[in-house]
Amino acid sequence: MKLSSISVNCKGIDSVLDLYSLNRRDLSSNIASLRSIKSYSSMSGYGFSSIYKSLDRVIMDLDDKKSCLKNLENGLSDILKKYKECENNVSEHIKASEVKSVEVEYKSSWTLGNTLEVISEAGIIGNVVSAIGSLITGDWTAENIISTLKTSVLPAIGNISATVSKGSNANWRDTLLGLGNGLAGLDTSSAGKTFTSSLNKQFGQDLSLTGAKSVGDKIKVGTKWGGYALSLVSNFLENKEEFEGTGETGRMIAEIGIETVVDIGVGAAATAAVSAGAAALVSAGLITFAPAVAIGAGAVAVAWAANSVCEWITGGKDIGEVAADFVCDVAEAVGEIKDGLGAFAKWTKSLFNFG
C-alpha cells in the first residue's frame, strides 16, 4: 500500500497570517472612519437618519468580517503550530530510532573486548596481556572487572597451577603461549565424535574435582567453576538493573538462571564445533596440528558470530536473552491458561452442582 505524503509551506502560511493581520487592521481603520462620520453632529434630518442606519449595518457587517478574519488567523496559526510540533516529534523519533540502530549495530560489531578475549586464549601470557589491556582500556565497573576475572585472571591461575603440579614434566613454553594440543583427550576419529567428546570433556573431566589428580589440577577445576559463577553474577547485575522497580522477582531469577546456562552452553558448543572442524582438517591432512590457542580463539569468534546474528535479528538481544524471554513467556502463558481452565472448571461445577 502506498502511503500519501503531506507537504506544508510554512513560509507561505506565515505570509497568509501576515495578510490576515493587515486586512484586519485596514478593516479596523475603515470602521473607525465610518463611526467618525456617523458621529458628525452637523448632519441631521430625515434623510441623514436613513444614511446613519445604513452606516450602522455596514459597520456591523465590517465588524463581523473583522471577527471572521481574526478567527481564521487564530485557527490557521494553531494549525501551523500543531503541524510544527508534530514535525518536531517525528524528527526526534527518527533521530532516536537512528541512535538506537547505531547502538545495536555497535553492540553487534567486533570490539576491543572481543580482541582481548581472543588474546586471553594465548596461554598464560595471553591471560596477563588481556587482563592488563582490559583494565587499562576499559572502565572500573563491576561488569568489566567480572569479565576480566572470568576470561583472563581465573584461566591464568588455573593454567599456572596445573603446570606447576607437573613438576619437571611441565612444558612451560606451551602453557605460556597456548601451544599445547587443543584436541588432547578427544576422540578425533570423526567430526561428530570430536564434537560429542569435547562437550563430555568440558562438562565432565574439566569440572570434576574427584577426577583431578593433583592439587594444581583441582585448582584449575575450581577456576572453571569460578568462571561459571562469575557468569551468573554478571547476568544477575544485568537483570537486576533491568527488573528494578518491576516487582517481578520470580521472573528475574528465572531469566538469570536461563541466561547463565545458555551462555555457558553457547561457549561450550562453540568450542566443540571448532574442535570438530579442526579434527576434520587434521584427518584430511590439511593441517598437522591444532594448538589450544587456535581452538580457543576460534570458539570466541564462533560464539560472537552466533550472538551477533541473534542481536541483529532481534534488535539487540543475544541468544541467552532470547531463550530466557521465550521460556519465561511460555511459562507465564501456560500459567494463565491453567488459571483460566481452573476458574472455568469451578464455574462449571457450581453451575451444574457436580460433585
Side-chain angles (χ1 to χ4, degrees):
M1 180 178 67
K2 184 178 180 180
L3 298 177
S4 60
S5 61
I6 299 175
S7 178
V8 176
N9 187 342
C10 295
K11 290 184 178 179
I13 293 178
D14 286 331
S15 298
V16 172
L17 290 173
D18 291 338
L19 186 61
Y20 280 157
S21 181
L22 177 62
N23 288 335
R24 278 195 307 104
R25 288 197 297 270
D26 288 342
L27 281 175
S28 294
S29 178
N30 292 333
I31 291 170
S33 297
L34 291 173
R35 283 175 175 163
S36 176
I37 293 171
K38 179 186 173 185
S39 64
Y40 193 53
S41 59
S42 63
M43 294 189 298
S44 60
Y46 177 79
F48 285 109
S49 176
S50 178
I51 293 174
Y52 289 152
K53 288 180 180 179
S54 296
L55 284 175
D56 282 336
R57 287 194 296 271
V58 171
I59 290 171
M60 289 177 62
D61 185 59
L62 291 177
D63 261 334
D64 288 341
K65 296 292 188 295
K66 188 180 75 169
S67 297
C68 288
L69 281 176
K70 179 62 176 175
N71 291 335
L72 284 172
E73 183 182 353
N74 290 340
L76 187 57
S77 179
D78 288 341
I79 290 171
L80 181 61
K81 181 180 178 182
K82 292 296 182 183
Y83 174 80
K84 287 181 177 179
E85 288 178 358
C86 290
E87 192 175 57
N88 290 334
N89 289 337
V90 170
S91 178
E92 290 176 2
H93 177 73
I94 291 173
K95 288 179 180 178
S97 299
E98 289 174 350
V99 170
K100 183 178 179 181
S101 298
V102 170
E103 287 177 349
V104 170
E105 182 181 352
Y106 175 76
K107 184 178 179 181
S108 297
S109 63
W110 187 271
T111 65
L112 177 60
N114 299 127
T115 301
L116 291 174
E117 191 173 353
V118 169
I119 292 174
S120 70
E121 298 295 332
I124 296 172
I125 293 177
N127 297 148
V128 174
V129 171
S130 176
I132 294 173
S134 179
L135 294 176
I136 290 176
T137 59
D139 48 22
W140 286 80
T141 60
E143 290 82 359
N144 188 47
I145 293 173
I146 288 172
S147 176
T148 303
L149 288 172
K150 182 175 70 172
T151 61
S152 302
V153 177
L154 287 180
I157 294 173
N159 288 332
I160 292 172
S161 301
T163 306
V164 168
S165 67
K166 294 178 182 178
S168 59
N169 295 323
N171 187 336
W172 282 100
R173 183 185 73 97
D174 288 353
T175 304
L176 288 171
L177 300 175
L179 298 178
N181 184 6
L183 301 177
L186 303 183
D187 181 352
T188 58
S189 58
S190 69
K193 289 183 178 180
T194 303
F195 184 90
T196 303
S197 62
S198 176
L199 290 178
N200 290 335
K201 180 176 180 295
Q202 291 180 75
F203 294 121
Q205 177 184 334
D206 291 351
L207 296 177
S208 175
L209 285 171
T210 56
K213 297 178 181 179
S214 64
V215 174
D217 289 336
K218 291 182 184 297
I219 292 175
K220 187 171 184 178
V221 171
T223 60
K224 281 279 188 180
W225 282 106
Y228 291 162
L230 288 175
S231 293
L232 181 66
V233 173
S234 179
N235 285 321
F236 168 76
L237 293 176
E238 182 180 337
N239 282 276
K240 180 176 179 292
E241 182 178 351
E242 178 184 345
F243 283 90
E244 188 172 2
T246 63
E248 298 180 354
T249 306
R251 173 157 184 149
M252 182 187 75
I253 294 173
E255 288 202 11
I256 291 171
I258 295 168
E259 286 179 23
T260 302
V261 171
V262 173
D263 288 345
I264 293 171
V266 168
T271 299
V274 173
S275 299
L281 293 176
V282 171
S283 178
L286 298 177
I287 59 174
T288 58
F289 180 68
V293 60
I295 300 296
V300 171
V302 169
W304 167 83
N307 279 311
S308 293
V309 170
C310 185
E311 288 170 3
W312 175 71
I313 293 173
T314 62
K317 293 183 178 181
D318 61 23
I319 298 174
E321 291 173 304
V322 171
D325 286 343
F326 175 77
V327 172
C328 290
D329 289 344
V330 170
E332 289 177 358
V334 170
E336 291 175 1
I337 293 172
K338 184 178 179 181
D339 292 341
L341 291 174
F344 178 76
K346 289 181 180 179
W347 174 79
T348 305
K349 181 179 179 180
S350 62
L351 182 65
F352 295 102
N353 295 319
F354 288 155

